[in-house]
Amino acid sequence: MEYTSPPGTLGRMNDWPEGWSDDNRGPRYGRGSAGAQPEGARAMRQVRRGPAVPPGPRSAYGNTGPAAPPYGAGVPQQPSYVDGRGHDDGAGYGEYDSGYNTGQVYGSPGGRGPDDPAGTPGRAPRPAPNWRRRIKWTAITLAAVVIVTSVATYFWADSKLRREVDLSKVIDRPQSGDGTNYLIVGSDSREGMSKADEKKLHTGGAEGKRTDSMMILHVGGNGDTLISLPRDSDVVVPSYKGSTSGKVYPAQGRHAKLNATYAEDGPTLLVRTVEANTGLHIDHYVEIGFQGFASIVDAVGGVDITIDKGFKDKWSGADFQAGKQTLNGQQALAFVRTRHAFAASDLQRTKNQQKFLAALAHQVATPSTILNPFKFYPTMGAGLDSLIVDKDMSLWDLGSMFWAMKGVSGGDGTSMNMPISGSTGGNLVWDKAKVKTLVDELNNDEKVTVSGN
């Protein structure tokens, strides 16, 4: 049964144009093809509907009517689809979308397919990373973080300093010399301690405050010097201005132990007494109590120290064996307070205090503390919360004091007791000649040649 094209058509769509044969179609692809390449998109001539072609003889393929006229014989050229927009923009006859002809799958990433002929354009390769730019912005970001963190830490720490001592109330002061002099005091203040804390730390429950340790730290260009002042030092109480009353009390030639002046009228009278008996100007005052001292030691994770000879003391709670060991806050407080266990009493205690403070400064300054925020901030917080300083003390001054103490412990300075010539009535008498030489060397910021006990 033959199929006849309906009126108004050009016949069967698979008729070949006149003059075409199966042999001049070029290489065949696809099923049954001997070609090596897959069949691409077949270019088909576009036709336009028009009036029916008059009947005529059948074509070789059984169609009635004449074969479709060749291109250019009355059939207008149809638009190509080179760019997929349905119009001809200059491409050759019979072309479809170039992407289809190259086997590209629309909408899929990757550009060319695996069988695309060489030279077919695909997606541009990803540009290489600009490492110089990345390093630059990483460095800028890190610098910004360090600056912001440092500034925030400074203001946080500065706000925690307890500037409670007004050295302007000290009268008749000696002239300032070269370098900076700190008076460092360890008091037996029980501020913030419960009865359980007092029992645990063996501090007792005495009212008021006294000083268990006093030191002068000189920071200068020719080496730093740490001088312990025995609490039982015999001193003359000078005239002074009451810290709370404002009343001036004249000198009466009264002798007393050095720590008694602190108990009498606090830090300002202690500073006035030290200056009057030495001739050395005190620039800054730093005080720490029992609880604060123990908290700093615990915050840093304990302090490593070597004890030359074991000792016990029921008054301080000390019970130590000889050798290297790590002391916690409670043990450290017992170590620096013990005096009854030693024949030299207070002189040996001041040596132990210097030894422990040097070890503490070294422990705080280690990278494991400074670079670890989980240890650094608790340690700094514990220290700042427990310190009482003068009104003119800055963080830079405090930092200078700390690094000087660390330097002394590392052998970059001198540590000594105030020179003693003897005792009277249980009080230790200073060697006046040596004290004068020592003070002159400190005021002139010279290397210290005097030795202490």
Side-chain angles (χ1 to χ4, degrees):
M1 178 177 178
E2 295 185 355
Y3 173 77
T4 304
S5 301
T9 65
L10 294 178
R12 295 180 60 181
M13 295 300 295
N14 61 351
D15 288 349
W16 294 103
E18 185 176 352
W20 285 31
S21 69
D22 199 55
D23 296 328
N24 61 10
R25 289 191 300 169
R28 299 182 61 188
Y29 304 102
R31 183 168 51 193
S33 169
Q37 298 293 329
E39 183 177 3
R42 176 176 298 164
M44 296 182 65
R45 185 167 41 178
Q46 306 298 313
V47 296
R48 181 173 59 186
R49 296 182 184 274
V53 179
R58 297 178 182 270
S59 68
Y61 291 88
N63 289 342
T64 58
Y71 185 80
V75 179
Q77 182 176 357
Q78 300 300 308
S80 67
Y81 290 83
V82 173
D83 59 358
R85 291 178 294 179
H87 63 274
D88 189 357
D89 59 352
Y93 159 74
E95 294 185 49
Y96 282 97
D97 188 324
S98 61
Y100 183 83
N101 286 333
T102 59
Q104 178 175 344
V105 179
Y106 294 107
S108 64
R112 300 182 350 214
D115 295 326
D116 289 342
T120 304
R123 187 174 64 181
R126 176 178 295 181
N130 189 333
W131 289 108
R132 179 176 297 179
R133 184 176 182 182
R134 290 188 181 184
I135 293 173
K136 171 186 174 182
W137 282 107
T138 298
I140 292 175
T141 301
L142 290 176
V145 170
V146 170
I147 292 174
V148 171
T149 302
S150 300
V151 171
T153 300
Y154 178 86
F155 284 104
W156 167 78
D158 188 73
S159 67
K160 295 178 75 67
L161 272 182
R162 300 171 57 185
R163 298 179 173 92
E164 300 177 3
V165 179
D166 188 359
L167 294 182
S168 67
K169 294 182 179 180
V170 181
I171 62 173
D172 300 331
R173 310 191 68 183
Q175 185 178 0
S176 297
D178 296 331
T180 304
N181 299 314
Y182 298 83
L183 180 59
I184 304 171
V185 173
S187 75
D188 64 357
S189 170
R190 294 155 180 83
E191 180 182 1
M193 295 175 62
S194 65
K195 292 297 181 181
D197 292 333
E198 292 176 359
K199 183 178 180 180
K200 175 183 176 181
L201 299 177
H202 297 271
T203 63
E207 297 295 332
K209 292 196 301 182
R210 285 157 293 279
T211 56
D212 266 13
S213 62
M214 291 162 285
M215 302 178 185
I216 294 175
L217 174 66
H218 174 81
V219 180
N222 287 302
D224 305 322
T225 305
L226 183 63
I227 308 165
S228 289
L229 308 176
R231 56 172 278 174
D232 293 336
S233 297
D234 185 81
V235 294
V236 176
V237 180
S239 60
Y240 68 95
K241 184 177 182 179
S243 58
T244 55
S245 66
K247 179 182 177 180
V248 176
Y249 297 89
Q252 299 176 352
R254 176 166 55 98
H255 285 251
K257 292 183 178 182
L258 182 59
N259 71 328
T261 62
Y262 178 90
E264 184 174 335
D265 199 44
T268 54
L269 178 53
L270 177 62
V271 171
R272 167 73 176 126
T273 303
V274 170
E275 290 185 341
N277 283 266
T278 63
L280 192 66
H281 182 90
I282 299 300
D283 298 293
H284 293 293
Y285 177 89
V286 181
E287 178 185 325
I288 186 170
F290 284 158
Q291 183 71 31
F293 181 81
S295 297
I296 294 175
V297 175
D298 287 335
V300 81
V303 174
D304 298 329
I305 193 169
T306 300
I307 298 177
D308 299 326
K309 184 178 181 180
F311 59 89
K312 293 183 179 181
D313 181 15
K314 67 177 183 178
W315 301 101
S316 66
D319 185 1
F320 299 106
Q321 301 295 322
K324 185 176 181 180
Q325 50 206 286
T326 301
L327 306 186
N328 60 26
Q330 177 182 346
Q331 295 168 326
L333 188 59
F335 181 79
V336 299
R337 293 184 61 225
T338 298
R339 67 188 179 110
H340 296 287
F342 310 121
S345 187
D346 203 38
L347 291 178
Q348 181 60 44
R349 176 166 69 170
T350 57
K351 292 180 181 179
N352 285 347
Q353 289 170 349
Q354 290 183 351
K355 182 177 183 177
F356 185 84
L357 289 177
L360 176 60
H362 177 77
Q363 190 88 5
V364 172
T366 57
S368 62
T369 299
I370 295 177
L371 301 180
N372 183 356
F374 297 102
K375 184 180 288 188
F376 174 75
Y377 285 102
T379 301
M380 179 177 285
L384 295 174
D385 281 339
S386 57
L387 290 180
I388 297 176
V389 299
D390 65 272
K391 293 184 180 296
D392 295 327
M393 176 75 80
S394 69
L395 283 179
W396 300 113
D397 296 324
L398 197 61
S400 175
M401 183 196 79
F402 172 79
W403 288 108
M405 291 186 67
K406 182 179 181 297
V408 169
S409 69
D412 295 334
T414 303
S415 60
M416 58 183 290
N417 278 325
M418 184 65 81
I420 303 296
S421 62
S423 64
T424 176
N427 296 350
L428 298 174
V429 179
W430 294 351
D431 188 321
K432 292 183 179 179
K434 286 187 176 181
V435 170
K436 184 179 185 306
T437 301
L438 173 64
V439 171
D440 288 343
E441 290 174 342
L442 294 179
N443 278 332
N444 295 320
D445 196 20
E446 298 172 350
K447 186 174 180 61
V448 171
T449 60
V450 177
S451 61
N453 299 77

